[in-house]
Amino acid sequence: MEDIKMMTECFNPATGEKLGESPVNTVEDVARAIQKAKSIQTIWGKMPVRERVRLLRPVRQFLSEHADEIAETISRDNGKTRIDAMATEILPAIMALAYYSKYAKTFLKDRHLKAGSILFANKRSYIRRESFGVIGIISPWNYPFAIPFSEIVMALLAGNAVVLKTASETQMVGRLLEKCFQFVELPQGLFTYLNLPGKIAGDAFLENGIDKLFFTGSVATGKYLMKKASEKLTPVVLELGGNDAMIVCEDADIDRAVGGAMWAGLSNAGQSCGGVERIYVHEKIYQPFMELLKEKVEALRIGYDADIDVEIGAMTTQRQIDTVNLHIQDALAKGATIFAQSKISDNPNYHHLLPATVLTDVTHEMLVMRDETFGPVLGVMKVKDDDEAIRLANDSNLGLTGSVWSKNRRHAKKLAARIHAGAVTINDHLMSHGLAETPWGGFKESGIGRTHGRLGFDEMTQPQVIINDILPFAKRQMWWYPYSVKIYSSLSGLAQMLASKSFFKRVKGFISLMKIVPRFFTKW
Ligand code: NAD
C-alpha cells in the first residue's frame, strides 16, 4: 500500500493564499531522530570548539544571500511586515551567530575557583562545561525565525545535537530554518527538523530521551511540559508569556515615549511576548502623552505589506484575533473607553487585520490589564507617582520584561530595579531580545531559565566540577578512618579557629588542629 504522508498546509493569513505544505512527522520519527542525534553528538561534543565554529559560521552566508527571501517568507507565513521580519528576526539572527561564534570558546573555557578555606588549601577546583547531549527545541509562531535560530546556534556550538519542532502555523519559515542549517556541512543527524502537532510533540520529545528541553510558548503549555519533564527530571528552560508594563515618568521625553510605546506595543501586530501591553503615565504629562499617542495611532496604516508601506500587518491566527476581541469586549463591558483607534485597509481581499486600539479608563479587574492580550492593544492608566506605577506594574503573575521612561537615567535605573521582570529597558522596550549579549527570560510565570548571552549559553551545558589535590604524596585526609577522641577534639578546635570571635580560642583551636596534621602523611 502507498505510504500517504500527512501534510500541514500553510496559508498567508493576510490573503488566504496557500503558501505550501510541510510533511508531518510521527512519534517514531522523533525516537529515531533522537537516537541518531545521541550517537553523532558523542563525536560532535568532543570536537574542538573552533572546529564547531568553523562548520557553523557559513550559515551567515546563507542569511546574507537569502535575507530578502527569508523576510518575505516570514511576512507571508506569519502576517508581519517585512520590515518587522528584517529588523526583529533576520538581523538579530545574524548578530547572534556572530556573537556566539566569537565567544563560544570563552564561554566554554574551564573556570578556576578560588580556594574557599585554609582547611582545603591542598585542593584546586575548576568547573568545566559538559554538553547535555540532545537538546529539544519547541518554538512558537510569533517570532518563527529568530527565536529558534539563536537557540540552535548556541546548542550546537556548545557541543549538543538538536531536534527542533517549530509551530504548525509557520511551517514555511520552519522549512527555511531547516535549509539554513542544511547549507553548512554538519554531520548527518546532528540537527533534525521535525513537524509535529504541538499536542504530541512534548510527550514525544520527553518520552524518547532528549536531554534538555527549550520551550517557548504559552504559560499553560509550559506548565504541562514541566510536569511531564518531572517524570524523568529532564531539565527545562521555559520562555513563556508576558504582560509587560511601561512606566512613563513625569520627566520623560514624550515624543520618544509615544514612539517607543507604539513600536514595542504594536509591531508584529502586538504579538510579542516582550511587547508593551500596559502603560502607566505620570499625571503631570498624561494629557500631552495621550494627545500625541492618539494622533500617531490614528495615523497608522494597517494592511498587507505587498509594497512595504504599512506599519502593521496581519494577525497570525484566528485564535489570537478571538482572544484580542474578547479582551476588548471585556474591557468595554467593565467601563473602559476606546480612546484612539487606527483604521484598517479597506481592501476586502485582506483578512486577519485588527486596528491598533488604545484603551483608557481601564482597571486591573479587566482581562486586558490582567492577562496577556498578545494583540495591537494598549491599555493606559494615569498614575499619581512612581510608587503607584511600580505597584501596578508588579500587580501581575507575569514578569517577562518592562521599561522605564525618564530623562534622569539614575532615577530610571532605581525604578527599573523595582520592576519584577527578567529584563527592564530604559527609554526603550522589546528590543533587548535582539541583543545577543543580554540574557532573555522572565520572572514569575513568565518562565524558568534564560536564553541568550552568557547565561543563555550556560544553559546549553551542565557544570562539572573537577577537584584536584595538589599533595599527591599525602596518604589521607585528617578526618579519615580510624576515628578517635583526638580527631574529634582537633576538629572541634578547627571550628573555633575558623569561627570564634576570641583570638585566644582561635589560637587554641589552631594548636589542637596541628595535632592531627601529621595524619596527612602517615599510613593507616
Ligand atoms: P503555545 O504554547 O500554544 O505553542 C507554542 C509551541 O508549542 C508551538 O510550537 C506549539 O505547536 C507547541 N505546543 C503546543 N502544545 C504543546 C504541547 N502540549 N507539547 C509540546 N508543544 C506544544 O503558544 P502560542 O499561543 O502558540 O504562542 C504564544 C505564546 O508564546 C504567548 O504566550 C507568548 O508570550 C509566548 N512567547 C514567549 C516568548 C518568550 O521568549 N518568553 C517568546 C515568544 C512567545
Side-chain angles (χ1 to χ4, degrees):
M1 211 173 79
E2 202 185 327
D3 184 17
I4 302 169
K5 233 177 143 40
M6 295 270 291
M7 292 285 174
T8 304
E9 292 184 307
C10 284
F11 298 91
N12 182 330
T15 62
E17 169 205 5
K18 183 166 168 180
L19 301 173
E21 295 180 337
S22 171
V24 179
N25 292 98
T26 61
V27 174
E28 291 71 38
D29 294 336
V30 177
R32 268 193 298 275
I34 294 173
Q35 278 323 307
K36 177 97 198 244
K38 275 190 193 294
S39 69
I40 199 74
Q41 187 276 331
T42 53
I43 302 165
W44 178 254
K46 290 194 183 81
M47 248 185 211
V49 187
R50 65 170 186 288
E51 189 58 16
R52 299 201 288 255
V53 171
R54 190 186 68 76
L55 284 168
L56 266 173
R57 222 183 220 149
V59 170
R60 70 184 168 174
Q61 191 188 331
F62 183 91
L63 294 178
S64 80
E65 283 169 10
H66 296 83
D68 292 331
E69 179 196 340
I70 301 172
E72 189 172 349
T73 303
I74 296 172
S75 170
R76 281 152 54 102
D77 208 11
N78 157 289
K80 70 177 69 179
T81 66
R82 266 174 290 169
I83 292 182
D84 281 350
M86 190 61 82
T88 65
E89 302 236 42
I90 299 164
L91 291 172
I94 292 172
M95 292 186 288
L97 180 60
Y99 178 80
Y100 298 117
S101 298
K102 185 169 175 194
Y103 290 107
K105 205 168 161 206
T106 311
F107 294 163
L108 291 169
K109 247 207 208 127
D110 295 344
R111 293 176 210 170
H112 291 267
L113 305 174
K114 289 217 160 68
S117 166
I118 189 163
L119 180 60
F120 294 117
N122 54 327
K123 300 294 177 192
R124 293 290 178 275
S125 310
Y126 61 95
I127 296 171
R128 59 176 294 276
R129 308 296 310 187
E130 174 74 36
S131 35
F132 276 96
V134 182
I135 299 285
I137 299 175
I138 298 180
S139 59
W141 45 262
N142 67 330
Y143 287 88
F145 192 80
I147 290 176
F149 182 89
S150 60
E151 290 177 358
I152 297 164
V153 168
M154 283 188 281
L156 292 174
L157 287 177
N160 300 288
V162 170
V163 179
L164 166 72
K165 173 228 149 7
T166 63
S168 307
E169 292 82 353
T170 47
Q171 277 303 304
M172 297 298 101
V173 181
R175 291 293 171 190
L176 252 185
L177 258 177
E178 185 184 25
K179 272 198 201 162
C180 270
F181 292 93
Q182 282 170 346
F183 178 76
V184 290
E185 284 168 19
L186 298 176
Q188 185 86 31
L190 184 72
F191 167 76
T192 308
Y193 178 88
L194 296 170
N195 171 29
L196 290 166
K199 56 182 183 298
I200 61 167
D203 290 8
F205 274 35
L206 290 162
E207 285 169 7
N208 285 290
I210 52 153
D211 298 298
K212 185 160 184 175
L213 177 65
F214 281 70
F215 169 77
T216 307
S218 62
V219 174
T221 310
K223 285 182 179 175
Y224 171 80
L225 291 172
M226 187 159 171
K227 200 166 171 188
K228 179 78 195 170
S230 73
E231 287 171 11
K232 292 186 180 169
L233 285 185
T234 306
V236 289
V237 165
L238 303 176
E239 298 290 353
L240 310 178
N243 186 13
D244 290 6
M246 160 172 180
I247 295 180
V248 187
C249 302
E250 61 181 308
D251 67 343
D253 176 331
I254 292 176
D255 265 6
R256 187 181 170 114
V258 167
M262 288 174 59
W263 184 78
L266 306 174
S267 62
N268 201 19
Q271 302 167 117
S272 302
C273 47
V276 171
E277 297 239 340
R278 304 175 284 144
I279 309 181
Y280 303 102
V281 187
H282 195 284
E283 60 186 10
K284 284 203 181 134
I285 59 161
Y286 182 78
Q287 199 187 337
F289 178 92
M290 293 307 284
E291 279 168 10
L292 189 62
L293 185 62
K294 186 176 172 67
E295 178 196 325
K296 298 292 185 191
V297 164
E298 286 175 352
L300 285 171
R301 295 162 301 171
I302 296 170
Y304 177 47
D305 97 323
D307 306 314
I308 316 199
D309 63 356
V310 294
E311 279 79 43
I312 301 179
M315 297 287 290
T316 311
T317 67
Q318 184 59 45
R319 185 168 60 116
Q320 205 47 49
I321 293 176
D322 294 345
T323 304
V324 173
N325 285 333
L326 172 75
H327 283 205
I328 293 176
Q329 291 315 319
D330 171 79
L332 295 180
K334 290 175 180 159
T337 307
I338 295 183
F339 175 80
Q341 199 162 51
S342 57
K343 292 196 178 54
I344 58 172
S345 162
D346 54 11
N347 186 329
N349 298 322
Y350 295 162
H351 316 287
H352 279 210
L353 302 183
L354 280 183
T357 303
V358 178
L359 293 172
T360 51
D361 301 319
V362 289
T363 70
H364 278 212
E365 268 55 62
M366 298 172 185
L367 291 174
V368 79
M369 299 303 272
R370 289 220 71 77
D371 289 356
E372 181 183 42
T373 304
F374 219 51
V377 181
L378 298 169
V380 191
M381 287 175 83
K382 191 197 301 186
V383 292
K384 66 177 187 314
D385 55 25
D386 293 340
D387 286 345
E388 186 182 11
I390 291 285
R391 182 178 60 73
L392 289 167
N394 289 337
D395 178 28
S396 173
N397 64 321
L398 301 172
L400 187 55
T401 83
S403 60
V404 178
W405 300 71
S406 163
K407 286 185 194 141
N408 180 341
R409 279 189 286 146
R410 186 186 289 193
H411 176 67
K413 281 199 268 182
K414 280 191 185 154
L415 277 188
R418 293 172 63 195
I419 297 181
H420 299 155
V424 184
T425 32
I426 292 167
N427 295 325
D428 217 326
H429 201 117
L430 178 65
M431 47 66 65
S432 78
H433 194 266
L435 295 177
E437 68 274 25
T438 56
W440 179 263
F443 286 6
K444 301 189 268 187
E445 291 186 38
S446 285
I448 287 177
R450 295 293 179 269
T451 57
H452 300 190
R454 184 175 193 146
L455 291 183
F457 203 95
D458 279 355
E459 297 270 11
M460 295 292 176
T461 56
Q462 45 196 332
Q464 182 188 47
V465 65
I466 306 286
I467 302 114
N468 195 4
D469 195 300
I470 58 165
L471 292 179
F473 46 87
K475 298 286 178 212
R476 55 178 165 164
Q477 289 285 12
M478 294 179 289
W479 53 86
W480 286 4
Y481 300 145
Y483 284 175
S484 67
V485 174
K486 185 171 149 194
I487 294 173
Y488 180 81
S489 66
S490 288
L491 294 178
S492 166
L494 174 62
Q496 296 308 317
M497 182 189 123
L498 294 175
S500 177
K501 269 182 153 179
S502 144
F503 177 72
F504 174 70
K505 280 191 179 169
R506 292 207 302 273
V507 171
K508 212 173 143 205
F510 175 73
I511 293 167
S512 149
L513 175 69
M514 284 302 113
K515 289 187 189 150
I516 58 166
V517 166
R519 290 189 104 226
F520 259 133
F521 309 104
T522 52
K523 270 185 160 182
W524 66 310

